[in-house]
Amino acid sequence: MFISFEGGEGSGKTTQIELLSDYLSSRSHNVFVTREPGGTKGAESIRNLLVTGNPERWNAKTEALLMYASRLDNYERLIKPNLKQGKIVISDRFADSTRIYQGFVGGVSEKEIEELHSFCLNNFDPDLTFILDIDVKQGLLRANSRNNNENRFESKGLKFHELVRKGYLILADKNKRMHVIDASMSIAEINNSIVQIVETYLYDNNK
């Protein structure tokens, strides 16, 4: 089973991934956690190119190509092997991030992104995707409080991130695998909502 977490900056994905991983492990599931861009050594090098530096460092099409270079390495070296071993793989972001950041907001056409997705991953997508939805100003306030230099996307401005939020909600409305979670709830409430959906999926697919 492959689960991805999506959402705007500062929506709390990392916290919720840790909680879900701990929960599933306590239920005797083997869990593997990765992130995007990143995961493998090579993909982490590409991550550094993408998330640091001037916000205008790359245009959206170049970003999409870099994202998929990173994603393919992560998929081939980590995601696919761990799924074959029967593990539940959880990823902090996956292809939907490219569909929104570089596609919906950046202007790369849906056709171009889906062709790239087909070429690199043969149209592989998660079984479940959680979109943590939060007020953009609140999310950016959280994100900008982090003490690191991975702030290239955070620096793109309020309008950019409002479009990111809008794009995710539109995408979720078209995809049954996607579940929008109100990230303004307490950490425990968010976790409880996620766990219920995951347990239902596991039960339905193990009947």
Side-chain angles (χ1 to χ4, degrees):
M1 180 183 182
F2 182 41
I3 303 170
S4 66
F5 278 72
E6 298 282 352
E9 311 305 323
S11 56
K13 298 186 304 302
T14 302
T15 299
Q16 292 302 324
I17 288 169
E18 289 175 357
L19 290 171
L20 179 60
S21 176
D22 289 346
Y23 171 81
L24 290 170
S25 297
S26 74
R27 305 284 286 183
S28 301
H29 294 287
N30 290 320
V31 182
F32 180 80
V33 175
T34 188
R35 69 172 182 175
E36 289 208 345
T40 66
K41 184 177 180 180
E44 289 290 335
S45 296
I46 297 172
R47 177 187 178 88
N48 187 57
L49 295 173
L50 282 161
V51 301
T52 64
N54 190 292
E56 304 305 320
R57 184 178 189 180
W58 313 109
N59 65 27
K61 190 169 285 190
T62 304
E63 285 178 355
L65 292 168
L66 288 168
M67 289 289 184
Y68 267 96
S70 170
R71 183 166 298 131
L72 178 57
D73 199 56
N74 192 25
Y75 172 73
E76 290 289 347
R77 296 177 186 272
L78 294 179
I79 295 173
K80 186 164 68 171
N82 278 284
L83 286 173
K84 283 186 175 180
Q85 291 172 23
K87 296 179 183 178
I88 295 176
V89 177
I90 305 174
S91 183
D92 185 341
R93 299 194 181 280
F94 197 62
D96 296 313
S97 282
T98 303
R99 291 177 174 121
I100 299 304
Y101 281 77
Q102 287 75 46
F104 183 82
V105 183
V108 181
S109 74
E110 182 178 349
K111 179 176 181 290
E112 289 171 321
I113 287 178
E114 294 309 322
E115 285 175 348
L116 191 55
H117 189 65
S118 175
F119 173 69
C120 292
L121 298 181
N122 196 28
N123 297 317
F124 173 81
D125 272 313
D127 299 298
L128 281 179
T129 297
F130 293 102
I131 297 173
L132 301 188
D133 180 53
I134 193 169
D135 174 77
V136 171
K137 289 182 180 178
Q138 184 182 349
L140 287 174
L141 192 64
R142 287 183 186 176
N144 289 324
S145 68
R146 299 169 187 155
N147 188 25
N148 63 47
N149 66 340
E150 292 189 347
N151 58 2
R152 180 171 171 265
F153 283 96
E154 287 87 341
S155 301
K156 285 181 176 282
L158 188 63
K159 183 178 179 182
F160 178 92
H161 292 285
E162 292 283 6
L163 286 172
V164 167
R165 184 184 188 189
K166 179 181 178 182
Y168 272 123
L169 295 176
I170 291 172
L171 192 63
D173 198 44
K174 300 176 182 177
N175 288 274
K176 290 184 178 180
R177 68 176 165 86
M178 294 185 173
H179 300 267
V180 178
I181 306 294
D182 180 1
S184 68
M185 296 189 296
S186 71
I187 290 174
E189 287 172 323
I190 296 168
N191 174 243
N192 185 57
S193 297
I194 290 168
V195 164
Q196 287 184 27
I197 293 166
V198 171
E199 286 288 8
T200 299
Y201 181 92
L202 289 170
Y203 176 78
D204 288 344
N205 283 275
N206 285 308
K207 283 181 180 179

